[in-house]
């Protein structure tokens, strides 16, 4: 759904006054694009995010902070000539936002479109055999935190020592292998599809395309192969029993997500609000400068989601 302001209205109060319309659109279309509004800079974006969510998330370790408030982040720092593939934010962890907002401060002169793929349509198109296996086994994400590559484990988990890390995440089902502070591997078993009790439906909900080696761009795969065996890449994902996900299945997933997707050309001061439970998002390659800020809100929990799925 796209909402355009012809009068350049202030966005935050508009959202507060029309919250029910926005909430309905997030379940119907999965997203709302606000265009032509007066956002009011980063402070106004934060206020708009707070108006669109019941609560904002302050402690997300996968994105660098962009403001002193701890509620606004920079977009994923990823090479601009490469596509960020479809993923549901934080679906590889035990908590994730149900709502995510993107604020375009400066659109790229070429490329850089937002991409969205509807997880409800995805499960209608994926082969039944594939869905059955993913429902039965779920996924195991394995992430190696190696100094100089990606976020550090201290940054991601907001801890200062390995003992703090163990104390914080072991109760949530994470497994930790830490030969040293410079090489820490964290594994987590979770679902590949998400049951959404308030709608009585389910959606494709994971980060397979961000973690599986067969989904990597050729140049990234080649670079990592020089330093690691493929099953020891910094990010990997398997079926929940530890068995490999076939490369041809990954290609099918990539194709179906693309078939179920839309592209949104960004304009200055656009704000995109996404239902992260329903829609995977990504970003196309671009040239020139591009500045995007991000906010996250209304967190969900793996244990609660699993209990809801068992009761369904």
């Amino acid at each position: 759904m796209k909402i355009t302001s012809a009068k350049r209205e202030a966005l935050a109060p508009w959202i507060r006054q029309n919250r029910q319309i926005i909430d309905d659109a997030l379940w119907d279309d999965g997203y709302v694009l606000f265009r032509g509004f007066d956002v009011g800079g980063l402070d106004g974006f934060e206020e708009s995010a707070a108006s669109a969510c019941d609560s904002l998330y302050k402690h997300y370790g996968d994105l660098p902070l962009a403001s002193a408030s701890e509620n606004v982040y920079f977009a994923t720092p990823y090479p601009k000539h490469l596509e960020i593939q479809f993923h549901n934010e934080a679906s590889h962890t035990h908590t994730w936002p149900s709502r995510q907002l993107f604020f375009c401060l400066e659109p790229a002169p070429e490329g850089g479109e937002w991409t969205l793929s509807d997880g409800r349509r995805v499960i209608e198109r994926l082969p039944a055999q594939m869905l059955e296996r993913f429902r039965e086994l779920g996924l195991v994400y394995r992430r190696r935190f190696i100094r100089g590559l990606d976020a550090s484990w201290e940054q991601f988990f907001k801890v200062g020592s390995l003992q703090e890390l163990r104390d914080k995440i072991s109760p949530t089902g994470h497994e930790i292998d830490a030969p040293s502070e410079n090489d820490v591997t964290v594994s987590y078993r979770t679902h590949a599809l998400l049951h959404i009790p308030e709608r009585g439906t389910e959606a494709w909900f994971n980060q397979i395309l961000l973690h599986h080696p067969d989904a990597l761009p050729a140049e990234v795969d080649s670079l990592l192969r020089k330093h690691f065996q493929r099953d020891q890449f910094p990010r990997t994902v398997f079926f929940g029993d530890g068995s490999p996900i076939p490369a041809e299945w990954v290609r099918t997933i990539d194709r179906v997500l693309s078939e179920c997707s839309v592209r949104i050309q960004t304009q200055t001061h656009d704000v995109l609000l996404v239902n992260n439970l329903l829609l995977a998002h990504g970003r196309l390659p671009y040239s020139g400068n591009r500045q995007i800020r991000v906010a996250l809100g209304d967190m969900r929990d793996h244990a609660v989601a699993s209990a809801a799925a068992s009761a369904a």
Side-chain angles (χ1 to χ4, degrees), residues 190-224:
T190 187
H191 40 242
L193 294 89
L194 181 66
H195 178 70
I196 304 169
E198 56 262 62
R199 294 285 146 164
T201 188
E202 67 176 350
W204 186 250
F205 185 82
N206 56 68
Q207 292 201 3
I208 290 174
L209 296 183
L210 288 192
H211 285 75
H212 200 288
D214 287 302
L216 286 170
E219 66 179 82
V220 178
D221 181 57
S222 177
L223 177 64
L224 290 175

Side-chain angles (χ1 to χ4, degrees), residues 25-286:
L26 285 176
W27 286 117
D28 293 339
D29 300 330
Y31 73 95
V32 179
L33 175 66
F34 301 98
R35 177 164 289 171
F37 286 85
D38 179 7
V39 181
L42 290 182
D43 288 343
F45 172 59
E46 181 178 348
E47 183 184 357
S48 298
S51 299
C53 302
D54 295 332
S55 62
L56 297 182
Y57 186 44
K58 295 179 180 292
H59 307 292
Y60 191 44
D62 238 356
L63 296 175
L65 279 169
S67 82
S69 73
E70 297 188 342
N71 284 325
V72 178
Y73 303 85
F74 288 103
T76 301
Y78 196 69
K80 61 185 180 182
H81 69 286
L82 297 176
E83 177 182 357
I84 297 178
Q85 299 191 76
F86 288 113
H87 63 285
N88 300 86
E89 197 68 38
S91 55
H92 61 306
T93 72
H94 72 288
T95 59
W96 54 84
S98 60
R99 297 186 177 194
Q100 185 167 14
L101 296 97
F102 303 87
F103 175 33
C104 180
L105 288 169
E106 180 182 3
E110 182 178 359
E113 294 92 343
W114 287 313
T115 55
L116 302 171
S117 185
D118 193 323
R120 297 165 296 187
R121 294 180 58 205
V122 170
I123 61 174
E124 292 174 354
R125 296 197 178 197
L126 285 173
Q129 170 199 7
M130 190 180 296
L131 290 172
E132 181 180 356
R133 187 163 175 81
F134 279 118
R135 286 192 187 101
E136 176 188 0
L137 298 179
L139 300 171
V140 170
Y141 295 97
R142 188 168 68 201
R143 187 160 176 177
R144 291 186 69 195
F145 293 90
I146 303 168
R147 296 292 183 201
L149 286 177
D150 211 338
S152 68
W153 54 268
E154 295 98 330
Q155 174 188 343
F156 185 78
F157 290 106
K158 306 299 182 186
V159 295
S161 69
L162 284 175
Q163 189 57 52
E164 277 187 66
L165 176 65
R166 294 188 178 95
D167 292 344
K168 182 174 184 177
I169 68 174
S170 293
T172 62
H174 291 76
E175 295 182 2
I176 304 168
D177 180 22
S180 75
E181 291 188 350
N182 295 325
D183 189 356
V184 175
T185 298
V186 176
S187 300
Y188 186 64
R189 189 179 189 278
T190 187
H191 40 242
L193 294 89
L194 181 66
H195 178 70
I196 304 169
E198 56 262 62
R199 294 285 146 164
T201 188
E202 67 176 350
W204 186 250
F205 185 82
N206 56 68
Q207 292 201 3
I208 290 174
L209 296 183
L210 288 192
H211 285 75
H212 200 288
D214 287 302
L216 286 170
E219 66 179 82
V220 178
D221 181 57
S222 177
L223 177 64
L224 290 175
R225 280 173 181 264
K226 293 178 181 179
H227 304 281
F228 310 104
Q229 296 181 1
R230 286 194 105 213
D231 63 352
Q232 294 297 317
F233 276 12
R235 297 191 188 200
T236 46
V237 61
F238 308 88
F239 286 117
D241 63 355
S243 59
I245 302 171
E248 60 270 21
W249 284 30
V250 176
R251 289 191 288 270
T252 298
I253 292 165
D254 188 19
R255 173 181 56 80
V256 171
L257 278 160
S258 296
E259 291 173 352
C260 297
S261 69
V262 296
R263 297 182 179 184
I264 299 175
Q265 181 73 47
T266 55
Q267 297 183 12
T268 305
H269 300 151
D270 277 356
V271 171
L272 177 66
L273 171 60
V274 177
N275 184 335
N276 186 51
L277 308 179
L278 299 181
L279 301 190
H281 67 275
R283 186 266 291 158
L284 294 182
Y286 67 94

